[in-house]
Amino acid sequence: MNIYLPIAAMDINVLWLACAGIAVGFVQGLLGSGGFLLTPILIMMGVSPAVAAASGINAIAGASVSGTFAHLKAGSVDVRMGLLMLVGGISGGALGTDIVRMLRAVGNLDLVILACYVIFMGVIGVTVFVEGLASHVQGEPQARVESRLQRMLQRLPLQMRFRVSGVETSALTPFLLGGFVGILAALMGVGGGFILIPAMAYLLGMPMRVVVGTSLFQMLFTAGSVTLMQAATNHTVDVALAGILLVGSALGAQLGARAAQRLRAAQLKVVFSVLVLAMAVKMLNGLLTTPAALLMELGGR
Amino acid sequence: MRGRWLAVGLGVLVCCGPRQAWGQDARDDAGPLSSLTVSDRDIEVTPRYSGELVRVRGTAARGCDVVVRLSAPGEAVTFSRMGKVGPFWLSLGRVQFGNVPSMYKVKSTRPLLSILSPQEQLRYHLGFRGLRASLTVQDEPESELYLNQLITVREAAGLYAVDDTGVTLDGERFATSFFWPAGAPPGRYQIQAMAVRNQRVIGVRSVPVEVHEVGIEAFISALARAHGILYGVFAVALAGAVGWLMNLLFETVRRKGRRPPPGRFIPTKGV
């Protein structure tokens, strides 16, 4: 059962697309992170990397709505921190969207997106693999790096107090974090929870409840504004693609959350990391093999 | 803003409205070709569109060979030139082509080389050699190489093809078919039948075929192209609504399935 995607200008099998959404949602529900798989799966289904990244971030915006409001109602969002991150996120997103436009004009956007994913999924795959194998061993060197970073953050100007989180840090910290995530959102179509959550929890020492709420809050608004900017600048957002993925991933997340209660996390992490590494290798292979033709069509139409 | 919406609405109406029927091209001299019909002159891109096969039928005087060409108006296109830097393949510059049709397919009763003189092939832009002669490349020393590459790329996308035996001939009647892949852009195309005898084209007849988006497809692509920001708002709102509804659905299922859990349900993360 195929449908025609007006922006991607191709037809795609709806069932396969929904299955891809379910798979991503399942990983999400099972392990707590997996949204970064959306874009690479779309690329592997034949969607161009530019459209995949922009539609992926659109789906992420949609998926964060209800969670964000639930956390806002429960008071577990540090709005002050979130807004500062958002300012950074929108600036980073604008910069990222512009980078996308320039790379696209030169013809190297696909390469950059794929290369980012190879590095990114390689790092995640190895980290999760090691974690899964030795989940009880605490990383000493990591703690040392963290405390050095913490000292650096304390020296930044504009120190201020974040009441909801109960921490004190420079206003630049959330701004820079948000900015980095915003660039990645535009370039790769990822929400950035995998960076923000550890940064807020370990680097800033915020309580986990507030970490999750604030991360979702910034994700919703950064992803939303990056979607707007991509639609305005690059015309790469395919709303049909995003919608179908969302339905699938919502379903998958429920299944994943249920499965998580029955399965052993450590083993799952190993399986998951091997999968991610396999995807990274496949993408790397695509970058290294001789293309079928020495010409590549520039941009969309 | 209201004016814009109105304009979009009108655009959709115009796109959905009845299409005028395209007639026989007045310049053509039909000669021995007494008829040419296609199964669909008006290919509609709906949400279920996945390309379309258009059947072509016609009649030509006995003893003629028939060549049928599908093509589109030529346009300027820019490609990036791939080259190897270290182990990676990346874009090293641009190549600009002129007069490139978005689709080009030729089918004939017998191989073109055996039924048409090279001059006639060039004159009517038949076969890849004829096509190559009509294309232009902007200041590029290796133009031959890149013209071949352009044809390879478009062939792989199912947009270009030459089929020496694609037309069947049964007495006076000939028949063939052309497939429009889903990736063929909306626009005007032309199917042209040529009667061939003694190495020369002795009659031409053509029928236009138009591909256009209708309904929701037309609305979305018009909105996305003309009002990017508005389309972005629409995309975010729609995705948000879908996400919200799915959450509502699963919360209802959960509530019905079990007793209400203590405390409020807080989803821990979005995707």
Side-chain angles (χ1 to χ4, degrees):
Chain A
M1 202 180 114
N2 284 27
I3 65 153
Y4 181 79
L5 301 170
I7 306 300
M10 60 182 284
D11 61 322
I12 201 165
N13 189 310
V14 186
L15 296 179
W16 276 116
L17 189 58
C19 283
I22 291 176
V24 170
F26 187 80
V27 171
Q28 177 78 29
L30 199 60
L31 300 174
S33 101
F36 66 88
L37 291 172
L38 272 179
T39 304
I41 283 186
L42 286 183
I43 293 174
M44 284 178 184
M45 291 180 80
V47 179
S48 82
V51 174
S55 310
I57 203 71
N58 186 12
I60 287 169
S64 346
V65 171
S66 48
T68 303
F69 281 99
H71 278 279
L72 273 173
K73 257 198 249 166
S76 52
V77 176
D78 188 332
V79 176
R80 187 178 224 186
M81 172 100 56
L83 284 177
L84 280 168
M85 276 181 182
L86 191 55
V87 175
I90 292 175
S91 322
L95 180 64
T97 312
D98 227 40
I99 295 176
V100 166
R101 186 183 55 75
M102 287 187 304
L103 285 174
R104 219 175 172 209
V106 184
N108 278 328
L109 176 63
D110 292 5
L111 173 89
V112 171
I113 293 180
L114 291 173
C116 283
Y117 267 107
V118 169
I119 296 169
F120 176 71
M121 299 210 300
V123 170
I124 289 208
V126 170
T127 317
V128 175
F129 185 79
V130 171
E131 247 178 55
L133 280 189
S135 46
H136 57 283
V137 181
Q138 285 295 321
E140 275 287 321
Q142 200 188 345
R144 224 181 303 145
V145 174
E146 256 165 38
S147 67
R148 257 196 24 223
L149 265 172
Q150 274 163 342
R151 272 202 301 279
M152 268 170 63
L153 290 180
Q154 278 161 12
R155 278 202 296 269
L156 285 174
L158 297 171
Q159 293 287 331
M160 63 194 294
R161 176 134 196 91
F162 294 91
R163 199 179 42 78
V164 181
S165 308
V167 297
E168 207 176 310
T169 183
S170 161
L172 290 175
T173 314
F175 177 80
L176 292 176
L177 275 174
F180 183 55
V181 167
I183 295 177
L184 291 188
L187 207 53
M188 300 169 68
V190 291
F194 57 91
I195 291 173
L196 286 181
I197 290 175
M200 286 192 279
Y202 304 122
L203 215 55
L204 300 179
M206 287 163 57
M208 203 56 201
R209 219 169 59 98
V210 183
V211 166
V212 172
T214 309
S215 157
L216 260 177
F217 174 84
Q218 87 80 35
M219 201 185 283
L220 168 61
F221 290 103
T222 302
S225 47
V226 167
T227 307
L228 283 190
M229 291 188 271
Q230 295 280 32
T233 316
N234 298 318
H235 306 284
T236 40
V237 178
D238 199 307
V239 70
L241 205 53
I244 297 166
L245 278 177
L246 258 176
V247 173
S249 68
L251 184 65
Q254 300 295 321
L255 298 175
R258 264 182 218 168
Q261 297 166 350
R262 287 182 210 149
L263 301 170
R264 304 244 317 259
Q267 287 168 353
L268 285 172
K269 277 186 174 173
V270 174
V271 173
F272 168 72
S273 63
V274 170
L275 264 171
V276 169
L277 284 175
M279 281 170 85
V281 170
K282 188 172 184 292
M283 284 183 152
L284 181 65
N285 188 42
L287 290 178
L288 298 180
T289 46
T290 311
L294 294 175
L295 289 176
M296 206 182 61
E297 199 135 16
L298 268 181
R301 41 169 204 264
Chain B
M1 257 333 164
R2 228 170 110 191
R4 281 187 176 184
W5 273 110
L6 204 65
V8 171
L10 275 177
V12 172
L13 272 182
V14 168
C15 291
C16 298
R19 317 292 308 181
Q20 71 188 93
W22 306 107
Q24 159 85 22
D25 202 324
R27 290 165 308 167
D28 293 344
D29 177 10
L33 286 166
S34 44
S35 76
L36 178 66
T37 57
V38 293
S39 59
D40 192 359
R41 284 183 172 193
D42 208 3
I43 300 175
E44 294 189 335
V45 179
T46 61
R48 298 298 307 275
Y49 182 65
S50 56
E52 188 172 315
L53 185 74
V54 174
R55 282 183 296 280
V56 182
R57 284 176 215 286
T59 47
R62 265 172 208 281
C64 286
D65 272 297
V66 177
V67 180
V68 187
R69 186 188 70 185
L70 157 62
S71 77
E75 44 187 27
V77 290
T78 309
F79 278 75
S80 60
R81 195 158 45 82
M82 305 300 284
K84 203 167 185 184
V85 176
F88 298 105
W89 284 91
L90 45 122
S91 159
L92 297 179
R94 298 167 164 218
V95 188
Q96 282 182 313
F97 297 95
N99 204 25
V100 182
S102 54
M103 249 177 109
Y104 178 86
K105 293 185 177 184
V106 173
K107 297 193 175 192
S108 50
T109 44
R110 284 192 286 159
L112 289 175
L113 277 175
S114 63
I115 56 173
L116 269 175
S117 69
Q119 293 87 342
E120 286 285 278
Q121 287 183 43
L122 289 184
R123 192 172 151 208
Y124 288 93
H125 304 313
L126 292 176
F128 284 147
R129 194 187 300 163
L131 172 67
R132 251 197 306 269
S134 71
L135 302 176
T136 59
V137 190
Q138 219 168 53
D139 32 78
E140 181 59 55
E142 294 173 285
S143 62
E144 268 311 301
L145 169 72
Y146 287 113
L147 281 175
N148 288 336
Q149 289 283 316
L150 169 71
I151 291 172
T152 309
V153 170
R154 291 278 167 101
E155 255 188 303
L159 294 169
Y160 285 12
V162 170
D163 181 357
D164 275 342
T165 52
V167 180
T168 57
L169 198 56
D170 176 18
E172 292 189 334
R173 285 199 297 244
F174 65 88
T176 187
S177 59
F178 289 104
F179 183 70
W180 262 261
R188 280 190 74 168
Y189 296 83
Q190 194 181 44
I191 287 179
Q192 208 159 29
M194 294 167 208
V196 174
R197 191 184 276 161
N198 300 330
Q199 302 280 312
R200 288 187 55 227
V201 173
I202 54 172
V204 179
R205 216 178 170 103
S206 50
V207 177
V209 172
E210 184 155 335
V211 177
H212 62 102
E213 292 160 319
V214 295
I216 184 77
E217 303 286 335
F219 171 75
I220 287 179
S221 70
L223 187 63
R225 215 164 298 149
H227 310 279
I229 297 185
L230 202 61
Y231 170 75
V233 173
F234 166 71
V236 173
L238 192 69
V242 171
W244 185 277
L245 278 176
M246 289 305 285
N247 192 60
L248 213 65
L249 183 77
F250 286 119
E251 238 179 302
T252 318
V253 171
R254 204 192 325 265
R255 283 218 190 100
K256 278 196 176 160
R258 279 181 227 155
R259 284 154 181 265
R264 185 191 292 280
F265 166 70
I266 298 172
T268 50
K269 269 187 201 176
V271 171

